[in-house]
């Protein structure tokens, strides 16, 4: 099964507490990181693929080492496809590639500088870190991150970030920090179209 997430920001102390940008109500960054790991592993198993749409880890006051980031990622289930975010670096991707723990004789990690595309239920998922302006399109969704607790007012843009408000459009939202599955992406897309249509009527 495929899953989707962005903006985990492991180690990022500045996000703790109530704020408009990325509210993370934890007493410590360690508690936040453990909650992210637990939510991920509760949904993802060894045969799943998680598309991580950028901003893996950071902390401006005490930047985690590449070894610390690699050790944390090694605790996460499944294979991971990384799309570069504005807080990701080529050096980090090179380190992770060189220290790939492997998956049944294959690399566990894949890396993309800008984005990648898959198809699900006749719908094209264009996955990037930054939201795209797709223009007139059908059966195409842009899965993205970057804007944290904000939402692009376009139905085809789906923020899959940890802090994304689109998660509240799900009838049964998963635990905070969970990667979203494809079925949830389609549910969000339908709900967002209805929400935006209602907003236009007002």
């Amino acid at each position: 099964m495929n899953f989707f997430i962005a903006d985990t920001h492991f180690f990022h102390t500045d996000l703790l507490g109530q704020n408009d940008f990325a509210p993370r109500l934890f007493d410590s960054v360690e508690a936040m990181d453990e909650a992210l790991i637990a939510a991920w592993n509760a949904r993802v198993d060894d045969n799943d693929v998680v598309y991580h749409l950028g901003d893996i880890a950071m902390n401006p006051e005490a930047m985690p080492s590449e070894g610390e980031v690699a050790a944390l990622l090694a605790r996460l289930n499944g294979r991971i496809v990384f799309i570069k975010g504005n807080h990701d670096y080529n050096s980090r991707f090179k380190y992770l590639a060189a220290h790939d723990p492997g998956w049944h004789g294959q690399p566990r990690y894949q890396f993309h500088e800008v984005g990648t595309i898959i198809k699900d239920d006749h719908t094209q998922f264009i996955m990037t870190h930054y939201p795209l302006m797709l223009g007139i399109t059908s059966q195409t969704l842009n899965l993205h991150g970057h804007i944290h607790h904000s939402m692009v007012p376009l139905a085809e843009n789906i923020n899959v970030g940890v802090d994304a408000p689109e998660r509240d459009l799900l009838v049964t939202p998963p635990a905070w920090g969970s990667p979203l599955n494809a079925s949830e992406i389609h549910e969000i897309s339908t709900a967002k179209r209805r929400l935006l249509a209602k907003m236009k009527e007002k």
Side-chain angles (χ1 to χ4, degrees):
M1 184 180 290
N2 292 323
F3 289 89
F4 312 90
I5 197 168
D7 302 304
T8 45
H9 281 245
F10 289 111
F11 301 97
H12 197 170
T13 307
D14 291 345
L15 298 187
L16 297 177
Q18 187 60 260
N19 60 81
D20 293 331
F21 178 64
R24 301 198 177 182
L25 307 181
F26 297 93
D27 293 330
S28 68
V29 73
E30 291 80 12
M32 179 188 75
D33 289 351
E34 290 302 320
L36 284 167
I37 293 167
W40 180 304
N41 288 342
R43 305 200 97 192
V44 178
D45 68 28
D46 183 54
N47 292 312
D48 294 328
V49 176
V50 181
Y51 290 86
H52 191 301
L53 277 54
D55 287 3
I56 303 165
M58 69 167 296
N59 187 0
E61 286 77 29
M63 192 63 73
S65 69
E66 305 304 355
E68 288 174 316
V69 174
L72 187 149
L73 293 175
R75 297 177 57 194
L76 300 175
N77 292 342
R79 290 171 286 164
I80 309 176
V81 179
F82 294 105
I83 292 166
K84 189 177 179 185
N86 57 301
H87 293 297
D88 298 320
Y89 310 99
N90 287 332
S91 59
R92 173 157 296 161
F93 279 9
K94 287 178 181 177
Y95 185 93
L96 292 175
H99 296 82
D100 191 319
W103 181 84
H104 301 287
Q106 303 174 42
R108 181 172 180 243
Y109 302 142
Q110 293 180 34
F111 306 91
H112 295 277
E113 282 282 321
V114 177
T116 191
I117 301 172
I118 64 171
K119 205 164 193 179
D120 185 273
D121 192 24
H122 308 291
T123 302
Q124 187 172 233
F125 290 172
I126 301 176
M127 293 175 285
T128 56
H129 179 63
Y130 302 98
L132 299 177
M133 302 298 286
L134 296 177
I136 298 172
T137 184
S138 64
Q139 294 183 296
T140 301
L141 297 174
N142 171 217
L143 310 188
H144 65 86
H146 185 61
I147 57 175
H148 288 267
H149 195 53
S150 297
M151 180 169 63
V152 175
L154 297 170
E156 61 270 18
N157 292 79
I158 307 295
N159 183 357
V160 300
V162 169
D163 314 298
E166 276 97 326
R167 290 170 175 261
D168 293 334
L169 297 175
L170 292 167
V171 173
T172 307
W176 180 88
S178 300
L180 300 171
N181 61 37
S183 177
E184 289 165 336
I185 297 297
H186 292 293
E187 182 184 341
I188 288 172
S189 174
T190 300
K192 188 172 182 181
R193 287 182 188 281
R194 290 173 182 162
L195 175 65
L196 293 175
K198 286 182 180 179
M199 291 172 66
K200 284 183 179 180
E201 292 172 0
K202 294 180 179 179

